[in-house]
DNA sequence: TAATTTCCTTACACCATTTGTAAGTGTTTT
DNA sequence: AAAACACTTACAAATGGTGTAAGGAAATTA
């Protein structure tokens, strides 16, 4: 069974987490000395690290990246601040998922299960019918060629690929581009579609995006 | 012992590779049906894939990315074309290393050993004393902040971090920036150093780069 | 067919970023 | 004090991304 290391300074929280995980059948190592968190973890690499980002006097973010640079993954971040910013920063690199405290038991276990499953082999490439998209860097691949999409192109194509072969409404695409209900001229979307099509053509990807009149767009394949 | 899957259409080559790997103590699965390469590999994921990029009628690059999107890694590419371009493309995403045919036995085994060691946990973040650098995306991390460096800034910092606390000569840095012996005004390097320092200061990283008069620069720490 | 709606494309202007050059100032060494 | 070296600032050019506008193309409807 998988081993999970807990890094959490609040002793009550730490024991509760330990209890939950033990009962769920995981091996648990709880760190209680915060002088040097990284080396003991590296010395005995677990299958997952549960990391409180708010440690007294320490930067959880630095610990997170330090662990990752040593190959320790996945890392699930615990945070009491429920500000979106921090979560994004945590995910931006190093962390693989986050959770806000106080956390529901089932939710916690679900996330952990998810990460463990996912990290038996890590994917994170989206496959179209004729191409592959890295949704993080917006790099487009086909055969031995590759291409960096612009932000707008990437957002559109990502949305389309995620709804593989299903129609994506214009308003949905607008949200992906400019956020919810930030209304921009509808033509702006059209222009960006045109530009994406043009870019796709550079890799001989013609006729990938089908337009559904009055509704939205759809990826062919 | 680790399992290695071989994808190679030339039967002579395939048997030779199989032989070498078996004698080295690996479990070997050799694919001989090239109708659908990906699914059998996904069904039985090996610890490493040895992939000939020149398959008749197939795009080895597509296979490569398809495998990676399914979480199959590492992938070591075999190529008979010794063009640098292809190798770079192979590495750009999906492949984790490459090898040109015909290949030396010891070299092959060394590469494989390397990859297997590396992929027990994958790092690829460079750690400075106060910061972390992703040398691929040139993203700079410190605490909960991050920052995208420009190409020049990234190249310089990468070179400095790689020679942690050792001096890096101006000519070496020039090579990292503009390639070997492409002489550009020495002042250009100074300017780029200034810019990097300024950027570092945005994350409160002051006095990171020490100048060694008449010689070059050095990372403090 | 004609009118209307919807979509596509091109050109334009604006902005932000990156970068080498140049010139002047500061600092160290001799 | 002079020379050598390093630092900084400003400038201009190039590049790329973006929304807007306007006109043409295509599909739909009457």
């Amino acid at each position: 069974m998988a081993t999970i290391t807990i890094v959490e300074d609040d002793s009550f929280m730490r024991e509760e987490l330990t209890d939950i995980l033990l009962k769920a059948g995981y091996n648990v190592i709880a760190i209680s000395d915060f002088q040097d968190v990284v080396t003991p973890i590296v010395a005995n690499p677990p299958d997952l690290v549960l990391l409180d980002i708010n440690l007294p006097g320490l930067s959880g973010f630095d610990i997170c990246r330090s662990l990752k640079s040593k190959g320790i993954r996945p890392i699930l971040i615990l945070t009491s601040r429920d500000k979106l910013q921090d979560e994004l920063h945590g995910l931006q690199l190093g962390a693989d998922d986050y959770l806000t405290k106080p956390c529901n038991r089932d939710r916690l276990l679900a996330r952990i299960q998810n990460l463990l499953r996912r990290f038996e082999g890590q994917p994170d490439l989206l496959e179209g019918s004729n191409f592959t998209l890295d949704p993080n860097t917006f790099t487009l691949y086909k055969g031995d060629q590759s291409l960096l999409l612009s932000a707008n192109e990437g957002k559109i194509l990502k949305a389309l690929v995620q709804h593989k072969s299903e129609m994506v409404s214009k308003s949905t695409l607008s949200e992906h581009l400019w956020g919810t209900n930030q209304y921009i001229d509808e033509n702006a979307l059209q222009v960006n579609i045109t530009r994406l099509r043009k870019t796709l053509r550079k890799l001989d990807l013609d006729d990938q995006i089908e337009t559904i009149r009055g509704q939205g767009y759809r990826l062919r394949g």
Side-chain angles (χ1 to χ4, degrees), chain A:
Chain A
M1 183 42 99
T3 301
I4 297 175
T5 297
I6 300 176
V7 184
E8 164 66 76
D9 64 307
D10 175 1
S11 62
F12 179 75
M13 187 80 182
R14 189 167 67 232
E15 283 170 26
E16 188 165 315
L17 287 172
T18 305
D19 193 49
I20 292 177
L21 295 180
L22 282 176
K23 281 181 181 160
Y26 295 106
N27 298 327
V28 177
I29 300 175
I31 303 261
S32 48
D33 175 15
F34 298 97
Q35 292 307 97
D36 181 4
V37 174
V38 176
T39 41
I41 297 181
V42 172
N44 199 8
D47 299 291
L48 186 146
V49 176
L50 199 56
L51 172 65
D52 183 1
I53 208 71
N54 294 94
L55 297 171
L58 292 175
S59 165
F61 294 101
D62 285 337
I63 293 177
C64 185
R65 283 194 295 277
S66 183
L67 285 174
K68 201 200 159 194
S69 83
K70 299 264 180 0
I72 308 292
R73 285 180 78 188
I75 298 169
L76 175 53
I77 283 211
L78 277 177
T79 171
S80 49
R81 342 172 186 171
D82 45 357
K83 299 169 189 166
L84 189 62
Q85 273 244 330
D86 294 347
E87 296 165 358
L88 290 182
H89 273 130
L91 284 174
Q92 191 166 6
L93 209 92
D96 301 291
D97 204 352
Y98 68 91
L99 213 53
T100 53
K101 296 193 290 187
C103 61
N104 173 284
R105 183 187 155 282
D106 294 332
R107 198 187 192 86
L108 171 69
L109 291 176
R111 296 280 178 112
I112 288 177
Q113 214 176 345
N114 236 334
L115 279 179
L116 287 176
R117 196 180 325 122
R118 180 173 149 211
F119 271 76
E120 304 203 343
Q122 46 269 52
D124 272 341
L125 281 183
L126 295 176
E127 283 190 89
S129 44
N130 291 318
F131 59 88
T132 307
L133 175 69
D134 182 327
N136 299 115
T137 63
F138 290 154
T139 312
L140 181 66
Y141 300 91
K142 185 205 173 195
D144 62 347
Q145 292 179 296
S146 75
L147 192 49
L148 197 59
L149 300 180
S150 80
N152 279 353
E153 292 169 339
K155 287 177 193 169
I156 295 176
L157 189 56
K158 180 177 171 186
L160 290 175
V161 176
Q162 282 173 339
H163 299 79
K164 211 172 201 163
S165 326
E166 286 168 17
M167 197 265 289
V168 184
S169 74
K170 287 185 279 188
S171 64
T172 303
L173 288 174
S174 281
E175 284 181 17
H176 277 258
L177 280 174
W178 301 292
T180 172
N181 272 349
Q182 175 81 28
Y183 185 75
I184 309 254
D185 183 1
E186 169 156 324
N187 186 24
L189 175 59
Q190 289 181 1
V191 173
N192 281 289
I193 292 275
T194 296
R195 285 171 180 157
L196 174 55
R197 281 177 171 148
K198 195 173 179 182
T199 303
L200 288 174
R201 250 174 270 136
K202 289 186 190 169
L203 295 188
D204 299 313
L205 292 165
D206 300 28
D207 301 321
Q208 294 290 308
I209 299 172
E210 179 184 2
T211 120
I212 288 154
R213 199 180 170 81
Q215 312 280 309
Y217 298 87
R218 197 176 73 94
L219 208 60
R220 245 187 261 274

